[in-house]
Amino acid sequence: MSKLVIVGTVAFDAIETPFGKTDKILGGAGTYIGLSASNFNVDSAVVSVVGGDFPQKYLDLLSSKNINIDGIEIVENGKTFFWSGRYHNDLNSRDTLDTQLNVLADFNPVVPEAYKDAEYVMLGNLHPLVQLSVLDQVKNPKLVVLDTMNFWMDNTLEDLKKVIAKVDVITINDEEARQLSGEYSLVKAARVIEKMGPKYVVIKKGEHGALLFHEEKVFFAPALPLEEVFDPTGAGDTFAGGFIGYLAHTNDISFENLKNAIIYGSNLASFCVEKFGTERMNNLSKEDVNMRLEEFKKLTQFKIELK
């Protein structure tokens, strides 16, 4: 069984969408990635930090999914990272109402000794220096995947470039790909980003699917058309967790298998958006996942006869 190290926030979110609102609920990139990757037979550990206000039941939830939590530091006299946001009617844009870094402000990640030899590393969306610190602690990973966002491009670009130079895969959305590369065409953007270090570039387009680039090869996976999208929070992290979880499970990092990983990531993300927060991911069954994979198959397969 492959080992997977996940670094990312384990946090509180308060979310408002056109369909309702929540008080503080479980959130954070590390949480979504871990829950998504737990759908595969991998030995995963989450590296993060929480405050003394973080409920034991949330830690128990992660443990119940066979996620190792030895790397989650608990600062007893501190408060857990908190984010609050309101989504617009189209659910593609949102306003951040409140961000409280709390214990995350002084976070120094410590990878558990048993996971320093992990073959797979998922660097969730965090300060690039935190991501670099994790890379300094793992010995010789087979594959490192990086997720980042425009905030770090705006404020810590040089540090971010150092991380990008050390990873195998980067996952960002189309707007971020254009910002990072300076190119509007996503094909050109991917080529520019590949030259920064990663072998593979994954560009997420939300409800319009995801693109995978490697040298001259391109693969596109659609997003499953859903009747209702309730809450898009964590969908990108769920995608990333499914992507690296599948790769760690199959232990195959060929371009052909990364195509499969994109489909698995998109499949799991389609569940995440159906309820608030992590609620849908908490009780996802293998049957649910496989049935929806069949829907993806029908959506993407066709015969064509050349005349």
Side-chain angles (χ1 to χ4, degrees):
M1 189 188 297
S2 296
K3 289 182 183 177
L4 166 62
V5 167
I6 299 160
V7 60
T9 51
V10 173
F12 291 131
D13 289 340
I15 302 159
E16 187 175 339
T17 78
F19 308 106
K21 61 192 295 186
T22 71
D23 293 323
K24 280 186 179 180
I25 58 173
L26 176 62
T31 304
Y32 283 103
I33 294 166
L35 290 173
S36 184
S38 74
N39 287 281
F40 305 92
N41 188 28
V42 293
D43 181 6
S44 62
V46 171
V47 177
S48 192
V49 62
V50 296
D53 58 343
F54 195 73
Q56 183 63 40
K57 67 177 181 179
Y58 289 158
L59 295 172
D60 292 343
L61 169 68
L62 296 175
S63 295
S64 74
K65 301 290 185 182
N66 295 318
I67 300 167
N68 185 291
I69 59 171
D70 292 347
I72 300 180
E73 178 188 358
I74 301 172
V75 182
E76 290 294 350
N77 60 349
K79 286 187 173 182
T80 302
F81 174 73
F82 171 70
W83 175 83
S84 175
R86 180 191 298 126
Y87 286 88
H88 298 181
N89 285 337
D90 64 358
L91 293 177
N92 287 322
S93 52
R94 68 187 185 192
D95 299 320
T96 292
L97 304 178
D98 191 12
T99 302
Q100 298 172 20
L101 288 177
N102 297 330
V103 293
L104 193 66
D106 301 310
F107 176 40
N108 291 309
V110 178
V111 176
E113 199 63 41
Y115 289 86
K116 288 186 176 178
D117 60 350
E119 298 95 334
Y120 294 85
V121 178
M122 179 71 226
L123 301 175
N125 178 28
L126 277 173
H127 195 295
L129 292 180
V130 173
Q131 295 171 327
L132 280 171
S133 173
V134 169
L135 288 182
D136 288 342
Q137 294 176 60
V138 290
K139 290 170 184 171
N140 189 26
K142 184 173 180 177
L143 189 83
V144 179
V145 179
L146 166 70
D147 189 33
T148 190
M149 66 181 298
N150 50 8
F151 179 83
W152 307 117
M153 296 173 198
D154 291 336
N155 297 287
T156 60
L157 183 59
E158 290 313 306
D159 289 330
L160 178 58
K161 284 181 176 177
K162 290 175 188 172
V163 185
I164 293 172
K166 291 174 176 281
V167 305
D168 303 291
V169 185
I170 182 172
T171 73
I172 48 178
N173 68 29
D174 44 0
E175 177 190 349
E176 292 154 356
R178 290 178 173 123
Q179 179 176 342
L180 184 60
S181 65
E183 294 283 356
Y184 185 80
S185 158
L186 294 179
V187 176
K188 289 181 179 177
R191 286 180 186 148
V192 170
I193 295 167
E194 274 188 46
K195 287 176 183 172
M196 296 178 181
K199 300 183 190 74
Y200 301 96
V201 177
V202 176
I203 299 179
K204 300 171 287 186
K205 292 169 60 65
E207 63 182 314
H208 304 297
L211 289 153
L212 169 67
F213 296 90
H214 173 59
E215 297 172 347
E216 297 303 313
K217 299 174 184 174
V218 183
F219 174 70
F220 171 72
L224 195 70
L226 299 171
E227 284 188 28
E228 289 188 56
V229 175
F230 203 77
D231 172 22
T233 309
D237 298 313
T238 302
F239 170 89
F243 177 80
I244 198 164
Y246 177 81
L247 292 174
H249 172 61
T250 55
N251 204 24
D252 175 358
I253 57 172
S254 65
F255 180 77
E256 289 304 310
N257 204 47
L258 263 75
K259 287 159 65 171
N260 293 331
I262 292 268
I263 295 292
Y264 270 88
S266 297
N267 188 43
L268 287 164
S270 75
F271 288 105
C272 176
V273 302
E274 291 183 335
K275 292 189 177 179
F276 271 124
T278 66
E279 187 180 349
R280 187 68 177 93
M281 303 306 295
N282 295 348
N283 303 297
L284 200 55
S285 72
K286 197 170 186 67
E287 290 73 25
D288 291 335
V289 174
N290 288 340
M291 282 176 62
R292 192 159 289 182
L293 277 173
E294 284 296 327
E295 293 181 45
F296 261 95
K297 193 173 178 181
K298 291 173 189 171
L299 185 70
T300 55
Q301 289 197 341
F302 59 89
K303 279 188 175 181
I304 189 164
E305 292 182 15
L306 299 178
K307 301 295 185 182

